[in-house]
Amino acid sequence: MASKAGDNPDSLMALSTAFCLRNLRKTMCYLGDRNKLCLRSDVFLPSEICDKLVNTYMELVHTDSNFKPQDGFFQLFSDPRSTRLTRIQLREDIVQDRDLEAIGKQDLIELHLTSCHNLSARSLRTLTSFRQTLVSLSLFGCSRIFYQEEEERPASRQALDTDFSFQGFNRLRLLNLGGLPEEVDVEGLLKPLPALTSLDLSGVQLPRAAFLAQWKERLASLVLYNVDLSEELINTVVELGHLRHLDISREHTSKFKMTRKTLTAIVQGLVNLVSLDISGHIMLDNCTVPHFEEAMGRPSIEPCKSSIYPFQELKRPLQFLGLYNTTLCNVTHIPAYKVTGSKNEDQVLNAIEAYTEFRPELAHRAINQLFDIARIQHCSQLLRALQLVIAALKCHKYDKSIQVTGSAALFYLTNTEYRSDQSVRLRRQVIQVVLNGMEQYQEVTVQRNCCLTLCNFSIPEELEFQYGRVNLLLLKILEPARQDESIQRIAVHLCNALVCQVDNHHKEAVGKMGFVKTMLNLIQKKLQDRMCDQVMEFSWSALWNITDETPDNCQMFLNCRGMSLFLDCLKEFPDKQELHRNMLGLLGNVAEVRALRPQLLTPQFISVFSNLLDSKADGIEVSYNACGVLSHIMFDGPEVWAMEEPLRETVMDKMMAAIQSWDVTSRRNINYRSFEPILRLLPQSIAPVSQHWATWALFNLVSVYPSKYCPLLIKEGGIILLEKVLELQTSHEETKEMARKVMEQCENFKEDPMETTR
C-alpha cells in the first residue's frame, strides 16, 4: 500500500535532537555547583548540531506543554571551543537579555529575533559582539530592545538608547526592523549599512523617503508593509532599479490611493521584479480590462493577456503577486505563478502561507475564508490546508483570533469527508495543536471548537498517545458546575469515549485525576435542576466504563456518595430506561469487588435491586444487571446476610423467576472484555441461583455472538468450570442443561469457526 502524503517518519537527526533536549542531564550535560546545568567536558558539537538544538528547543518550548524551559540553557553554548552556533531563530517572551549575553562569543551569521518583548538595550550591546560575522539580522517586533532597562520606570516612560550604532556591521546584508518604535531615528540607524541587499521596515514611520536612494545599486528586497505611502516614497522606490521583491501592502486603509499610473511606474521602473505585494490597497481608477475585451480561453499567466492593464508590460510572469484584500484578485488573467487573494482556494492558501509568520492579522482573515471553503464547498488541497493551519496555530499560540478561526477550520478539515487522505502523523499534529489551544484558552469558542474537532478522531485509539493530557483538559473544562451547555455535552461524551475499551492502568490513572468525582458533581447538578439529559446519561455511562474491573474507582464511587445519587436518580427519573441501564451496569462493577459488597448489603439497597428484577427497561438489561449485582452478593453466603427483611430465600426465588422470564436469544447492549467475574460464580454450591445467572449469561452470549465470545470462553478456561457445574449435586437441572448447551456451542464453533449468520 502506498504511504499517504506527509507520512514520512522524522529524520534521525530530528529524533535525536528532540531526545537530547528532553534528556539533557542524561545525554550532554551534568548538574554542577548550585544545580547549574553544565556541558560535559568531552562534548564537542559542530554548528549543524548546535543550531538544530537551539532552534528545536525554541519550537518545543512553544508547542509542547510537557517541555519546560531549562534554566541556563543558552549558557551551554557560551564557549565556541566546544559548541558552535551560526544560524538561530529565537521568538517571544521566553528570550531574555542574559540568554543573548550567554552566546555573545559565538560567530553568528544569522540571528532572527521575533517579538522578543523582554529584550532591552542590554541586548543591543550584545549584538555588537556579532558585528564581524552577522549577515542576516531580524529584530521584528522587538520594540523594547531600543530602550534602556530601567526597572523603576513604567514602560511608557522608558529612556531610548541612543548609544547603539550599526557601525562595523560590514557583512550585514539582510535586516528586518519591522515594528521599530517611532522615536528611533531610522535614517541615522541605517546610515552605516551601505551594503544592505534586503530591508524590512514594516510599520516604520519614514519622515524622509529619499534616504532609501542610498541603496539604489544594491537593494534587491524592500518590505514597506503598513508604511504610509506618499508620492515621494513611490518615486524613490521606483528608482531602486535592482529590486526583485517589493512589498507595499497594508492591513488598514490609508489616505494614499493606488492608481493605474503608480502601478505602471512600478512595473516600468523595476524591470527585475519577480515578486510584488500590493494587498490591502484601494484602486482609485479602473485599471482592469473590461470583461468583454478580456482574452478568451482559460485563465492565463501570460503578461500580454493580463486583465490588469499595468501588468501587460511585464517581461515575464511574476513568481509572486499579493492582491489580498483588493478587487484585483477577482479578475480572470493574472500574470503570476502564485497569487494571494480571496477569489478561490488557491489564493486563500497562498495568503495563509505568505502572511502567517509576521502578519497574523491577515492570516486570521484568510483562515476564516478557508473555513468557509471547507464548510460550504470542498477543500481540494487538503494536505496543504491542514499543514498551513497547524503551522499558524503553532506560531500564534497566544493570538486569540487565530486560535478561534484555526480551531474552527480544523474541525471541518478533519471530518469524515476528508479523513481517508490523512496520515497518522498529520492527524497527531492536529491533536497536538488542538490540545495546545485548549490549554491556552479557557474561552468558550476555542474550547468548543477544540472539543468538536477531537470528536472527528477514533477514540480512544487516536488519542492514546496523549491520553493523560486530554483527560486532564476535559476534566478541567467540566470542573465548573455551571458551564456552557453544548461544551459540557461534548466534553462528557469525549470523557465517556476515552474510558471505554481501554486498559485498566489508563482507567486507574484517570480515576486518580478526579474523574469519578467530576462525573458525580455533574450528576448532582442535573438532579438539582431535575433534568435527565445527555449529560446525565453520559456521566453514568462514563462511570460504568471507568469502574469496569477497576476496584479503586469503584471505591471512589462509594466514597463520593455515589449510592445516594443512584437512589435519588431512580426516584426522580423512574421511567428513564437508558439511565437505569447505565446505573445498574456500574453497580454490577461495584458488586464484583468482594471488599465493597458489604456496603451494598442494606435492606434499602437489596429491596431496590430486588424490585428492579421486574424491570422491562431496555429489554432485559436492567433486570439482568440487577440480578448480576444480587448474584455476587448471594455468592458471599448466608452468614453475611444479617437483615431480617427482605429474606435471602425470597430474593433468590425472585432472581430465579426473573432469569426464567428472559429470552435467551436477546441481542445485548453490553460488552465483556473478560468473563472472569462471571466464571468465578460457576464452581460453587453456596448460591445455586448465582451459578444459574452466570450460566445463563454465558449461554446467551455464546449463542448470539459465537465468534466473539466462544474463543474468549475457551481461552479463559470456562469449559473446565462448566464441567464442574455438571458434577455438583447442588446445581439445578436447568443450570446443567444450559451448561451442556454452552459447551456444545463452543465445540461446534471450534469445528466450524466460519460464522455465516450475523
Side-chain angles (χ1 to χ4, degrees), residues 414-549:
T414 52
N415 68 18
T416 30
E417 180 191 354
Y418 299 119
R419 184 149 181 188
S420 56
D421 306 326
Q422 295 165 14
S423 68
V424 172
R425 181 155 168 227
L426 191 67
R427 287 178 73 81
R428 283 191 168 190
Q429 286 177 341
V430 172
I431 291 164
Q432 293 273 27
V433 291
V434 164
L435 298 182
N436 286 348
M438 286 168 73
E439 239 154 19
Q440 204 54 48
Y441 288 94
Q442 301 315 303
E443 207 269 336
V444 175
T445 324
V446 177
Q447 295 281 7
R448 188 188 299 114
N449 291 349
C450 291
C451 285
L452 279 169
T453 302
L454 290 177
C455 293
N456 286 336
F457 292 83
S458 301
I459 303 172
E461 300 80 21
E462 288 194 282
L463 297 182
E464 186 119 26
F465 79 108
Q466 291 281 295
Y467 194 77
R469 185 178 174 208
V470 74
N471 274 295
L472 262 178
L473 285 167
L474 289 169
L475 292 178
K476 197 168 172 200
I477 288 175
L478 290 169
E479 228 168 65
R482 294 271 169 212
Q483 171 65 276
D484 177 90
E485 197 63 36
S486 63
I487 293 190
Q488 206 174 54
R489 194 172 61 249
I490 305 160
V492 175
H493 160 72
L494 284 166
C495 280
N496 186 24
L498 279 160
V499 291
C500 185
Q501 306 287 312
V502 290
D503 294 340
N504 291 358
H505 70 272
H506 277 328
K507 292 182 188 178
E508 280 162 10
V510 174
K512 290 191 177 82
M513 291 174 190
F515 189 98
V516 176
K517 183 103 184 79
T518 302
M519 293 300 140
L520 289 170
N521 287 346
L522 289 171
I523 291 165
Q524 173 85 53
K525 176 77 212 38
K526 291 292 172 189
L527 254 174
Q528 283 167 6
D529 298 346
R530 307 181 74 160
M531 262 181 84
C532 182
D533 57 3
Q534 280 186 317
V535 171
M536 172 73 101
E537 286 180 4
F538 282 155
S539 299
W540 279 109
S541 175
L543 287 171
W544 180 6
N545 281 320
I546 201 172
T547 50
D548 179 32
E549 294 182 39

Side-chain angles (χ1 to χ4, degrees), residues 154-169:
S156 55
R157 299 234 300 278
Q158 285 192 329
L160 203 63
D161 186 286
T162 48
D163 300 340
F164 176 75
S165 156
F166 276 120
Q167 201 67 49
F169 282 73

Side-chain angles (χ1 to χ4, degrees), residues 194 198 209 229 357 378 402 412 440 475 493 558 605 668 702:
S198 170
L229 299 181
E357 191 173 1
H378 177 80
I402 291 252
Y412 284 101
Q440 204 54 48
L475 292 178
H493 160 72
L558 295 177
F605 292 150
R668 303 300 305 284
V702 298

Side-chain angles (χ1 to χ4, degrees), residues 91-155:
R91 54 182 308 127
E92 306 198 5
D93 300 357
I94 176 182
V95 186
Q96 309 285 339
D97 288 326
R98 62 168 182 271
D99 297 330
L100 276 190
E101 282 164 4
I103 58 173
K105 290 187 181 144
Q106 294 285 356
D107 291 339
L108 290 185
I109 294 172
E110 188 178 289
L111 174 62
H112 289 188
L113 303 171
T114 307
S115 305
C116 300
H117 303 297
N118 285 333
L119 297 184
S120 73
R122 253 174 76 188
S123 287
L124 275 186
R125 286 192 281 290
T126 308
L127 281 186
T128 52
S129 56
F130 308 127
R131 65 178 181 272
Q132 310 282 320
T133 54
L134 216 49
V135 175
S136 175
L137 172 67
S138 168
L139 301 177
F140 181 86
C142 304
S143 51
R144 311 247 318 258
I145 201 170
F146 289 94
Y147 294 96
Q148 285 162 14
E149 183 189 37
E150 292 182 49
E151 300 298 328
E152 305 80 60
R153 290 194 182 192

